[in-house]
Amino acid sequence: MSATADDATTNTGFPILRPIPRSWLVVHLITLALIAIVLIDAGRGLWFYYDEWDFLAARAEWHLLTPHNGHLSLFPQLLTTLVKGVVGLHSYWPFLALTFAAHLAAIHMIWRIMMRLAVHPAIALLMATLFGVLAAGGDNSLWAFQVGFITPLVTGIGALLLAMRPLTAWRTAWVCVLLLVGVGFASTGLPLALAVVLYIWVRHGWRKTAIVGGVFAVVYGTWYLLFARGTTGADGFGIHSLKDVMLRVPEFFSHGFVDSIGKVLPFAGLAGALAVAVIIGMVLDLRRASLRTIDPTYVLVFAALTFGVMTALTRVGLGNDAASAGRYVYIYAGLLTPVVGRLLSRLAANGRVAVGAICAVLVILIGYNAAGLVEFGRGLAAREQTVNRAISAALTIDDGRAELDKRTPAALVAPTLTMTDIRSFVARGQYTPVPFTPTDLLEARVNMFLTPVHKAAAPPQGSTCETPSSGYLAFDPASQFVYVPTAGDVGVVAKEGDGTSTYTRTHIPTPGLYELTGLDSSIALSLAAGDAGGLCVVARQ
């Protein structure tokens, strides 16, 4: 195999797909096994949290075509329902195994496309391994719920590999199936579908494009018109003005790429320089290529750019820090790894010293990220196990009252999990309580019983409203009201004896002056001063 990523094409314009030597395949399979060991180690103690409860709740079962945050989540919902029906909530591993399998498949597909396109085999191996242990991508690789986010990467690259060859009838059919399956897991399949369809147009002409694009548009478009039109998938975090489009979206977009690079490195300050280097490398690489002979790795670059634009348009309201959230870093890394491998292979053409230096750097990054992934998993497990204990604590104080039906004992980590859901799990034999601490019980009491009662639209005239800019504000329910200028969640710290709550909050439905009731006088409260638009406390008169 050539050690360089030459622009080799057949006389029909198709890229020459290099055979994969068996020896390198064996080494790759060994690295996959090692990555699996790291994932299992990092996954110890993980449990269900946050969006997972949207799929686990009995009320969501078999609602397979209902959009979740704007995504068609047919297959994740189906898989979750089926696995829950077999093992209940007694173990997280069966759910997590699906995500591990999807993640390992994504690693393999990234490695395979690099090997087929003549990326240096050692560089392809190490780049794929680096992606496999990506610490910043732990939000995806260590969260069972994200099987939906990961799988479109697998199906999209698979469709691209098929499109890199002459499209026979059966290959065309499989491209359609893969693209539709991908988008059936999550909307992350959309940028990959668009990229593959455009590649088909360039390589195969308009007839094949019309078939693949038409089938995809009809099926996905029908679902969107029937089930998703008019839904608020962006949760209000998308664009709202021309300023957002002209200023905030480009800023969010650039932060997504540059900050994502920084999260792969021990020294995030190098991210900007490396981003510029990659851009220059791609420009120099592309200047000799025509549209028809462009290397397929750039199809994935186009998908990454499209994904970045879509994310910016729908999530810009979350702020620039959200642009490089772990789930996005994972997608950027997966889509850009092949082109980076291609560029590094060009550098490796300078000789064995260059190859050795590149491989040494990649090995260091692999070690750094593997350690970071395990550490990330430990922190994630500590947070997620609070949900398990909170459920168990809540069951000991739940008296079945209807007013508790919609209350959640783990408001911060599982905000959509209600007592109705928990009662259903227990009734079906799907949940077994675990031991919990007095602090867990305190948190469950605060989350379930603390109740805001609206008293007035504004503080009494002439009253003093104590409002620090940050930190927590001591609050005495017996002698004070709380005023919130905007609706929202308010973080709460509760203390009773030696116990101090951490994962507690209350929801304020509308602006106004509120009394907080429902808790014993033995519990001391503090409220997050910056929440709900900057709250303040007012003495009762």
Side-chain angles (χ1 to χ4, degrees), residues 234-500:
D235 297 326
F237 297 124
I239 56 173
H240 295 289
S241 66
L242 183 61
K243 178 183 177 181
D244 287 344
V245 175
M246 300 301 295
L247 297 178
R248 297 183 65 200
V249 165
E251 188 177 29
F252 188 98
F253 177 85
S254 61
H255 272 277
F257 280 93
V258 176
D259 294 351
S260 293
I261 293 174
K263 290 187 175 182
V264 181
L265 307 171
F267 307 104
L270 297 175
L274 285 179
V276 172
V278 171
I279 292 171
I280 292 173
M282 288 192 293
V283 170
L284 295 175
D285 190 33
L286 286 171
R287 65 179 180 172
R288 295 176 296 176
S290 66
L291 184 62
R292 184 167 175 76
T293 62
I294 193 170
D295 189 83
T297 56
Y298 288 99
V299 178
L300 299 180
V301 173
F302 176 82
L305 295 173
T306 305
F307 175 80
V309 171
M310 290 175 57
T311 303
L313 291 174
T314 57
R315 290 292 183 264
V316 67
L318 292 172
N320 291 334
D321 288 343
S324 59
R327 58 190 179 276
Y328 304 146
V329 175
Y330 182 96
I331 298 300
Y332 289 135
L335 294 174
L336 296 177
T337 289
V339 77
V340 174
R342 173 181 170 85
L343 297 177
L344 290 177
S345 294
R346 290 199 175 278
L347 291 177
N350 292 321
R352 292 184 179 180
V353 173
V355 174
I358 292 170
C359 290
V361 171
L362 291 176
V363 168
I364 292 172
L365 290 177
I366 288 169
Y368 169 77
N369 278 270
L373 184 64
V374 172
E375 182 181 359
F376 178 81
R378 296 289 183 271
L380 204 59
R383 184 165 72 248
E384 292 171 0
Q385 283 297 333
T386 64
V387 183
N388 199 1
R389 298 194 303 271
I391 293 175
S392 299
L395 287 170
T396 66
I397 56 177
D398 176 32
D399 57 9
R401 286 180 293 160
E403 54 262 39
L404 296 181
D405 289 354
K406 301 301 181 183
R407 296 297 178 94
T408 172
L412 278 179
V413 192
T416 62
L417 173 67
T418 67
M419 284 307 304
T420 297
D421 300 327
I422 295 170
R423 293 165 186 161
S424 174
F425 296 141
V426 174
R428 291 180 170 192
Q430 294 173 333
Y431 178 76
T432 302
V434 298
F436 57 87
T437 67
T439 297
D440 297 320
L441 182 59
L442 173 62
E443 292 184 344
R445 289 164 60 197
V446 173
N447 283 324
M448 291 176 62
F449 298 138
L450 184 62
T451 304
V453 178
H454 189 268
K455 306 300 290 185
Q461 188 173 5
S463 62
T464 301
C465 202
E466 186 180 350
T467 174
S469 59
S470 61
Y472 279 81
L473 185 63
F475 178 76
D476 179 14
S479 63
Q480 294 175 318
F481 292 123
V482 59
Y483 172 72
V484 293
T486 62
D489 294 322
V490 174
V492 178
V493 170
K495 294 184 178 182
E496 184 180 46
D498 295 331
T500 300

Side-chain angles (χ1 to χ4, degrees), residues 76-133:
Q77 175 67 79
L78 177 62
L79 290 171
T80 300
T81 299
L82 293 176
V83 175
K84 184 187 69 171
V86 175
V87 302
L89 308 182
H90 302 297
S91 174
Y92 193 59
W93 285 111
F95 298 87
L96 193 57
L98 296 175
T99 298
F100 284 176
H103 179 53
L104 292 171
I107 299 166
H108 175 71
M109 296 304 288
I110 290 168
W111 173 81
R112 177 168 287 274
I113 196 169
M114 287 191 288
M115 291 294 288
R116 297 289 270 170
L117 293 173
V119 171
H120 190 287
I123 292 175
L125 179 76
L126 294 176
M127 287 292 295
T129 304
L130 175 58
F131 173 75
V133 297

